[in-house]
């Protein structure tokens, strides 16, 4: 293992990690406000990738416009999901919400399998995303640079919204106490819709980038990625946006590094995130940037 | 000695045994197959309900334990010759070849190994509650699946194990289902069962009343793992071929629909839910096939059933959260109990 290979793997880990991070932000924001693991979030990412596929392969739109349109539609889908399925359950026990989320996740997966077919479709990657650069012996593809940069920009944008705007203040307030915030004259339902919209938009970006890096789309693509992104959100400390990004990078790096150093463990790569998750919950149940968790003890 | 309740319970069990005998001898093969399936799913649903509904620990693990049960039974009942013949990816390990047992012992071992695993898992798993528990147990199911794919010397990898001797018939499946239901109901009506319900209703209050919540949860977890393992073994002996793809989250999802529809926390609800869902899945096969809708011919849409089923789950959660039975039971099978127990 020379330093060059190591650096190369770091670049790959950075790129993979930022995709996990993009999706983890959505989990962490919804969890922060509603205390709900939105099991359907990974499937929103899948829908985002499918929207990207549709706009590019069917309507022949340029990549930038595709991302913009997919983000808008995915955000609308997220808001719709909240209005139809989660809003009527605001006062219900959280288990009901969780079961509903699993139901929606299965609905999206199966509906796409029925109407789009279960066979993976090739994603039309724009040629400039496939350009290869050589810098000091390292090989970068354009996408492996674009993805982390876009993630960083989006993260800064989200942090700006959360900490510098009125809506962000409302979101943060909601994560403490929905009822009281409602009494203070904030329309809690609208703010929750914004959270779902923002999270889904980021998931759509993540989905399109995922489809660019592994150029295919299929209805089940969001399941494993979504779960790993959730693991990332918990590792980073669920409820914290920065934590989600850190967690995403940790999971991405671990996956890449373990496979590079222990190629014989390659078959187990999908299990790392969960093993990591269980270990983190064992030793630091609140994650790295952890917020207050429900009391947990034997 | 013979209270009215006990007589009713006894007659239900006798009726169930008689039905098993009658079905095995008089029903056609297709019906017997469906009843076999229903009986196995009753075992799975009733035991899943114990941890999920009665104890209120939202866990998503059954596919993992069912997989373990199925693989243990398969390895124990397929003889060495058959294994050498069908293991393609890698030669089976020596101990896998050496292991051999009768079906009844294979089933018991399946259950015991699942239960032991549940016991050891309880320590990390029950450090967390609620949503976190769901995701950790879900991850556990994934890990089991990835392991079954990656140890070809034991499990034949993604090809799975075939030519498992077909031991499951109605006597085995319905017999196991009756035992499972009686045992689990007796657990629920024991003092441990009352502790489980207390943990579900308010964990902090239960602790304050001196209930050891960790012990209670672990008992429920291991009991349900035991029967899930046995159910997995029966499933393997019914299907005669298993592969990692059988034990995806879809299995857990199906069980979740069953117990939610029947009413989380109700054992009779779980039984009724199983019959409804399994019969419904059979009946709804037409959805997957080409249809004639008002003169408009649709192509076959494989997977449409699952779309409809996820919609049913969402609608049940939105409009009928208690399911069919809520937390109530239809009958109380307490034949082994001396005095009348309170609910």
């Amino acid at each position: 293992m020379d330093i060059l290979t190591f650096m190369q793997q770091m670049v790959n880990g950075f790129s993979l990690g930022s995709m996990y991070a993009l999706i983890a932000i959505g989990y962490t924001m919804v969890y922060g406000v509603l205390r709900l693991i939105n099991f359907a979030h990974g499937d929103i990412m899948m829908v985002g990738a499918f929207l990207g596929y549709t706009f590019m392969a069917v309507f022949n739109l340029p990549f930038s416009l595709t991302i913009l349109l997919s983000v808008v539609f995915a955000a609308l889908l997220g808001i719709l999901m909240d209005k139809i399925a989660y809003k009527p359950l605001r006062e219900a026990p959280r288990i009901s919400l969780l079961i509903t989320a699993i139901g929606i996740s299965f609905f999206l997966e199966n509906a796409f399998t029925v109407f789009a077919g279960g066979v993976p479709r090739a994603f039309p990657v724009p040629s400039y995303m496939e350009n290869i650069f050589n810098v000091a012996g390292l090989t970068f593809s354009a996408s492996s640079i674009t993805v982390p940069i876009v993630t960083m920009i989006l993260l800064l944008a989200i942090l700006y919204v959360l900490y510098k705007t009125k809506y962000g203040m409302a979101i943060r307030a909601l994560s403490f106490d929905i009822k009281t915030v409602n009494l203070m004259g904030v329309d809690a339902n609208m703010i929750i819709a914004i959270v779902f919209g923002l999270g889904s938009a980021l998931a759509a970006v993540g989905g399109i980038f995922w489809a660019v890096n592994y150029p295919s789309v299929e209805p089940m693509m969001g399941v494993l990625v979504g779960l790993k992104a959730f693991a990332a959100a918990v590792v980073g400390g669920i409820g914290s946006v920065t934590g989600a990004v850190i967690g995403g990078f940790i999971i991405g790096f671990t996956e890449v590094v373990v496979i590079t150093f222990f190629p014989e463990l390659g078959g187990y790569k999908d299990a790392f995130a969960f093993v990591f998750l269980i270990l983190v919950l064992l030793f630091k149940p609140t994650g790295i940037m952890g917020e207050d968790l429900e009391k947990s003890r034997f | 000695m013979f209270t009215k309740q006990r007589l009713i319970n006894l007659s239900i069990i006798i009726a169930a045994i008689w039905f098993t005998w009658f079905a095995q001898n008089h029903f056609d093969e297709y019906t017997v197959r469906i009843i076999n399936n229903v009986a196995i799913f009753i075992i799975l649903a009733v035991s899943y309900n114990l941890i999920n509904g009665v104890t209120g620990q939202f866990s998503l693990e059954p596919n993992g334990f069912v997989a373990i049960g199925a693989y243990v039974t398969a390895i124990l009942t397929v003889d060495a010759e058959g294994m050498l013949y069908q293991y393609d990816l890698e030669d089976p390990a020596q101990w896998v070849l050496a292991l051999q047992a009768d079906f009844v012992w294979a089933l018991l071992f399946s259950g015991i190994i699942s239960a032991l695993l549940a016991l050891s898992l309880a320590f990390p798993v029950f450090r967390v509650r609620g949503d976190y528990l769901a995701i950790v147990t879900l991850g556990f199911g994934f890990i089991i699946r990835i392991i079954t794919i990656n140890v070809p010397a034991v499990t034949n990898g993604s090809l799975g194990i075939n030519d498992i001797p077909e031991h499951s018939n109605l006597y085995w499946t319905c017999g196991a289902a009756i035992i499972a239901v009686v045992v689990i109901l007796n657990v629920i009506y024991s003092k441990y069962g009352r502790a489980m319900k207390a943990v579900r209703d308010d964990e902090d209050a239960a602790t304050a009343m001196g209930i050891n919540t960790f012990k209670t949860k672990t008992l429920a977890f291991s009991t349900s793992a035991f029967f899930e393992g046995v159910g997995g073994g029966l499933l393997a002996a019914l299907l005669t071929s298993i592969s990692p793809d059988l034990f995806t989250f879809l299995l857990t999802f199906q069980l979740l629909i069953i117990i939610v529809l029947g009413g989380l926390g109700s054992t009779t609800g779980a039984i009724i839910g199983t019959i409804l869902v399994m019969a419904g899945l059979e009946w709804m096969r037409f959805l997957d096939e080409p249809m004639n809708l008002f003169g408009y011919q649709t192509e076959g849409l494989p997977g449409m059933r699952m779309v409809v089923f996820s919609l049913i789950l969402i609608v049940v959660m939105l409009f009928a959260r208690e399911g069919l039975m809520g937390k109530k039971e239809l009958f109380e099978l307490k034949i082994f109990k001396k005095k009348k127990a309170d609910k």
Side-chain angles (χ1 to χ4, degrees):
Chain A
M1 174 68 49
D2 53 316
I3 187 79
L4 213 60
T5 330
F6 183 74
M7 291 300 290
Q8 183 71 56
Q9 296 307 332
M10 287 290 112
V11 173
N12 296 345
F14 209 57
S15 169
L16 183 65
S18 42
M19 287 188 284
Y20 287 142
L22 272 178
I23 303 160
I25 293 175
Y27 274 112
T28 223
M29 282 176 68
V30 168
Y31 191 89
V33 172
L34 282 186
R35 308 281 136 165
L36 158 74
I37 297 174
N38 186 8
F39 270 102
H41 194 66
D43 300 295
I44 298 268
M45 170 233 167
M46 177 272 292
V47 175
F50 260 98
L51 284 169
Y53 170 84
T54 315
F55 290 129
M56 288 189 74
V58 182
F59 296 114
N60 282 318
L61 296 178
F63 190 58
S64 46
L65 193 59
T66 297
I67 290 194
L68 201 67
L69 282 174
S70 312
V71 159
V72 171
F73 277 98
L76 287 178
L77 177 70
I79 294 170
L80 190 72
M81 193 169 78
D82 171 51
K83 284 272 178 284
I84 293 176
Y86 299 148
K87 199 177 153 200
L89 292 173
R90 289 271 198 270
E91 302 293 318
R94 277 167 43 206
I95 291 299
S96 312
L97 266 171
L98 207 58
I99 297 173
T100 316
I102 296 177
I104 293 175
S105 158
F106 253 72
F107 172 71
L108 286 175
E109 286 160 20
N110 285 296
F112 269 78
T113 312
V114 168
F115 295 110
V119 191
R121 290 154 185 255
F123 190 81
V125 182
S127 54
Y128 56 86
M129 289 297 269
E130 283 175 326
N131 284 346
I132 304 282
F133 301 101
N134 271 307
V135 181
L138 295 176
T139 341
F140 301 94
S141 68
S143 61
S144 70
I145 303 174
T146 323
V147 175
I149 292 177
V150 173
T151 306
M152 283 306 155
I153 295 173
L154 288 175
L155 171 68
L156 290 178
I158 284 284
L159 285 177
Y160 177 81
V161 171
L162 274 181
Y163 289 97
K164 299 284 178 200
T165 66
K166 221 170 60 180
Y167 293 110
M169 192 194 264
I171 292 173
R172 282 181 292 139
L174 275 188
S175 69
F176 285 104
D177 188 343
I178 293 187
K179 277 202 185 104
T180 315
V181 174
N182 236 335
L183 289 175
M184 311 288 267
V186 176
D187 183 354
N189 282 328
M190 188 193 70
I191 301 296
I192 292 173
I194 289 177
V195 167
F196 270 95
L198 279 178
S200 306
L202 292 179
V205 178
I208 291 176
F209 279 149
W210 193 272
V212 167
N213 269 326
Y214 306 88
S216 75
V217 286
E218 49 111 4
M220 298 291 165
M221 66 188 279
V223 182
L224 199 57
V225 186
L227 286 172
K228 284 186 195 169
F230 177 77
V234 177
V235 168
I238 197 152
S240 151
V241 173
T242 343
V245 176
I246 295 175
F249 281 128
I250 291 178
I251 298 286
F253 275 122
T254 321
E255 219 174 288
V256 168
V257 166
V258 175
I259 294 168
T260 319
F261 286 95
F262 309 98
E264 68 276 11
L265 288 180
Y268 293 96
K269 79 177 171 68
D270 292 336
F272 294 146
F274 300 112
V275 175
F276 218 85
L277 173 73
I278 292 172
L279 287 178
V280 166
L281 287 177
L282 264 178
F283 295 110
K284 196 170 185 321
T286 48
I288 293 165
M289 305 283 286
E291 43 125 38
D292 274 334
L293 196 73
E294 298 168 284
K295 260 184 290 173
S296 62
R297 59 180 149 51
F298 285 123
Chain B
M1 189 63 193
F2 281 103
T3 59
K4 196 174 148 205
Q5 184 65 53
R6 228 180 269 180
L7 279 175
I8 295 174
N9 294 337
L10 211 58
S11 40
I12 292 171
I13 293 179
I14 290 170
I17 294 171
W18 176 81
F19 172 78
T20 309
W21 172 82
F22 184 80
Q24 181 71 44
N25 288 308
H26 293 84
F27 286 0
D28 60 287
E29 208 174 310
Y30 176 66
T31 321
V32 167
R33 178 107 189 159
I34 292 178
I35 298 175
N36 267 322
N37 249 325
V38 169
I40 292 174
F41 267 81
I42 284 179
I43 302 174
L44 300 180
V46 166
S47 50
Y48 187 31
N49 184 51
L50 183 69
I51 180 76
N52 220 344
V54 178
T55 320
Q57 302 301 309
F58 192 68
S59 124
L60 297 171
E61 93 300 344
N63 57 339
F65 290 132
V66 174
I68 289 168
Y71 270 100
V72 171
T73 299
I75 288 168
L76 284 176
T77 52
V78 177
D79 53 15
E81 200 184 331
M83 283 196 181
L84 282 173
Y85 172 72
Q86 57 167 305
Y87 274 44
D88 277 348
L89 298 167
E90 204 173 295
D91 281 338
Q94 283 307 314
W95 61 270
V96 173
L97 287 177
L99 287 175
Q100 194 69 50
D102 285 338
F103 186 51
V104 61
W105 291 112
L107 282 186
L108 271 177
F109 271 124
S110 304
I112 290 169
I113 289 178
S114 291
L116 286 178
L117 190 72
L119 212 59
S120 53
L121 265 176
F123 291 94
V125 162
F126 289 128
R127 275 185 70 102
V128 291
R129 284 204 221 176
D131 311 349
Y132 289 88
L133 187 72
I135 208 83
V136 169
T137 47
L138 184 69
F140 159 71
F142 257 101
I143 293 174
I144 293 284
R145 208 171 98 76
I146 289 163
I147 290 176
T148 55
I149 294 174
N150 281 293
V151 282
V154 181
T155 63
N156 202 15
S158 48
L159 295 178
I161 301 175
N162 304 304
D163 296 330
I164 301 164
E166 192 177 356
H167 283 294
S168 285
N169 55 23
L170 285 184
Y171 298 127
W172 281 109
T173 53
C174 293
I178 293 169
I179 294 173
V181 171
V182 171
V183 169
I184 285 179
L185 277 178
N186 274 288
V187 169
I188 292 176
Y189 287 121
S190 70
K191 66 173 182 179
Y192 303 107
R194 283 196 292 277
M196 288 171 195
K197 287 179 188 165
V199 169
R200 167 187 68 195
D201 292 338
D202 190 331
E203 201 169 328
D204 294 319
T207 315
M209 298 299 285
I211 292 172
N212 186 337
T213 51
F214 175 67
K215 227 168 95 183
T216 309
K217 290 183 207 172
T218 309
L219 179 72
F221 198 49
S222 323
T223 313
S224 83
F226 177 84
F227 284 110
E228 276 154 11
V230 173
L234 287 166
L235 201 63
L238 179 72
L239 300 172
T240 69
S241 86
I242 52 172
S243 71
D245 281 344
L246 272 177
F247 309 106
T248 56
F249 184 61
L250 187 69
L251 182 70
T252 302
F253 181 69
Q254 226 168 325
L255 289 171
L256 189 65
I257 298 180
I258 287 173
I259 62 172
V260 166
L261 195 70
L264 271 176
S266 166
T267 305
T268 31
I271 298 173
I272 296 170
T274 312
I275 296 169
L276 282 180
V277 169
M278 299 305 276
L281 275 173
E282 278 308 312
W283 178 70
M284 291 211 295
R285 268 189 205 287
F286 78 89
L287 284 173
D288 286 2
E289 279 149 23
M291 279 188 276
N292 192 341
L293 281 178
F294 310 109
Y296 173 73
Q297 188 72 31
T298 62
E299 285 172 45
L301 295 170
M304 199 59 200
R305 280 195 306 169
M306 289 323 290
V307 176
V308 174
F309 257 78
S310 15
L311 282 178
I312 291 176
L313 181 73
I314 298 171
V315 170
V316 168
M317 275 340 279
L318 287 180
F319 299 108
R321 221 175 306 139
E322 292 285 290
L324 284 171
M325 301 288 299
K327 287 169 187 164
K328 294 184 207 65
E329 301 288 355
L330 204 55
F331 300 105
E332 296 177 359
L333 289 159
K334 292 177 302 182
I335 48 165
F336 302 122
K337 232 164 131 70
K338 291 231 169 62
K339 63 175 197 278
K340 211 174 165 191
D342 50 333
K343 263 223 173 144

